[in-house]
Amino acid sequence: AFPEDLFTNESLFAVADRLARDPNVFVLHNEDDFLLRPTDTRWLKDQFGSRLHLFKKGGHLGNVWRPEFHANLERALGI
Protein backbone atom coordinates (compact mmCIF):
# COMPACT_ATOMS: atom_id res chain seq x y z
CA ALA A 1 0.00 0.00 0.00
CA PHE A 2 3.03 2.30 0.22
CA PRO A 3 2.91 3.75 -3.34
CA GLU A 4 -0.81 4.46 -3.02
CA ASP A 5 -0.31 6.14 0.36
CA LEU A 6 2.50 8.25 -1.03
CA PHE A 7 0.39 9.41 -3.95
CA THR A 8 -2.60 10.14 -1.74
CA ASN A 9 -0.71 11.95 1.01
CA GLU A 10 2.07 13.70 -0.89
CA SER A 11 0.50 14.72 -4.18
CA LEU A 12 -0.71 18.08 -5.38
CA PHE A 13 -4.23 16.77 -4.88
CA ALA A 14 -3.59 16.29 -1.16
CA VAL A 15 -2.95 20.01 -0.64
CA ALA A 16 -5.22 21.33 -3.39
CA ASP A 17 -7.70 23.06 -1.10
CA ARG A 18 -5.00 25.11 0.59
CA LEU A 19 -3.33 25.98 -2.71
CA ALA A 20 -6.58 26.95 -4.40
CA ARG A 21 -7.47 29.33 -1.54
CA ASP A 22 -4.05 30.96 -1.46
CA PRO A 23 -4.04 34.05 -3.71
CA ASN A 24 -0.23 33.86 -3.88
CA VAL A 25 -0.27 30.53 -5.72
CA PHE A 26 -0.06 30.68 -9.51
CA VAL A 27 0.35 27.77 -11.90
CA LEU A 28 2.34 28.03 -15.13
CA HIS A 29 2.21 24.83 -17.10
CA ASN A 30 2.24 23.42 -20.64
CA GLU A 31 -0.79 21.88 -22.33
CA ASP A 32 1.41 19.43 -24.22
CA ASP A 33 3.21 18.04 -21.15
CA PHE A 34 3.13 14.28 -21.63
CA LEU A 35 2.25 13.86 -17.94
CA LEU A 36 -0.83 16.10 -18.15
CA ARG A 37 -4.10 14.33 -18.94
CA PRO A 38 -7.26 16.15 -20.09
CA THR A 39 -8.78 15.46 -16.68
CA ASP A 40 -5.76 17.15 -15.05
CA THR A 41 -6.20 20.21 -17.24
CA ARG A 42 -9.85 20.52 -16.20
CA TRP A 43 -8.88 20.07 -12.56
CA LEU A 44 -6.23 22.80 -12.77
CA LYS A 45 -8.73 25.19 -14.39
CA ASP A 46 -11.32 24.43 -11.71
CA GLN A 47 -8.86 24.85 -8.84
CA PHE A 48 -6.89 27.89 -9.96
CA GLY A 49 -9.06 29.74 -12.46
CA SER A 50 -7.38 32.98 -13.50
CA ARG A 51 -4.22 32.03 -11.57
CA LEU A 52 -3.51 29.29 -14.13
CA HIS A 53 -1.63 29.98 -17.34
CA LEU A 54 -1.36 27.10 -19.79
CA PHE A 55 1.16 27.50 -22.56
CA LYS A 56 0.21 25.72 -25.80
CA LYS A 57 3.65 24.18 -26.26
CA GLY A 58 6.66 23.42 -24.13
CA GLY A 59 6.28 19.81 -23.12
CA HIS A 60 7.57 18.82 -19.72
CA LEU A 61 9.46 21.88 -18.36
CA GLY A 62 10.27 22.92 -21.92
CA ASN A 63 9.26 26.55 -21.56
CA VAL A 64 11.31 27.69 -18.57
CA TRP A 65 13.83 29.41 -20.84
CA ARG A 66 11.27 31.20 -23.03
CA PRO A 67 10.59 34.92 -22.65
CA GLU A 68 6.81 34.33 -22.49
CA PHE A 69 7.31 32.10 -19.44
CA HIS A 70 9.53 34.69 -17.76
CA ALA A 71 6.98 37.45 -18.43
CA ASN A 72 4.18 35.40 -16.86
CA LEU A 73 6.36 34.42 -13.92
CA GLU A 74 7.31 38.05 -13.27
CA ARG A 75 3.66 39.09 -13.50
CA ALA A 76 2.68 36.36 -10.99
CA LEU A 77 5.44 37.51 -8.63
CA GLY A 78 4.51 41.16 -9.01
CA ILE A 79 7.86 42.13 -10.48
Side-chain angles (χ1 to χ4, degrees):
F2 177 74
E4 292 82 11
D5 292 341
L6 184 62
F7 181 76
T8 300
N9 297 327
E10 304 299 329
S11 73
L12 182 62
F13 301 110
V15 295
D17 291 338
R18 282 182 284 162
L19 294 176
R21 286 191 311 265
D22 189 335
N24 296 310
V25 174
F26 292 83
V27 177
L28 304 175
H29 202 55
N30 302 317
E31 286 184 24
D32 65 344
D33 185 334
F34 69 95
L35 296 175
L36 192 65
R37 304 166 299 174
T39 187
D40 299 324
T41 303
R42 285 190 301 276
W43 182 84
L44 286 168
K45 288 177 181 177
D46 290 344
Q47 294 296 313
F48 298 101
S50 65
R51 294 178 294 129
L52 168 68
H53 183 89
L54 287 173
F55 297 94
K56 293 288 181 195
K57 296 191 181 270
H60 188 68
L61 296 175
N63 65 4
V64 296
W65 306 113
R66 293 183 179 177
E68 182 184 5
F69 176 84
H70 289 221
N72 279 277
L73 180 60
E74 289 174 0
R75 193 169 21 261
L77 295 173
I79 297 174

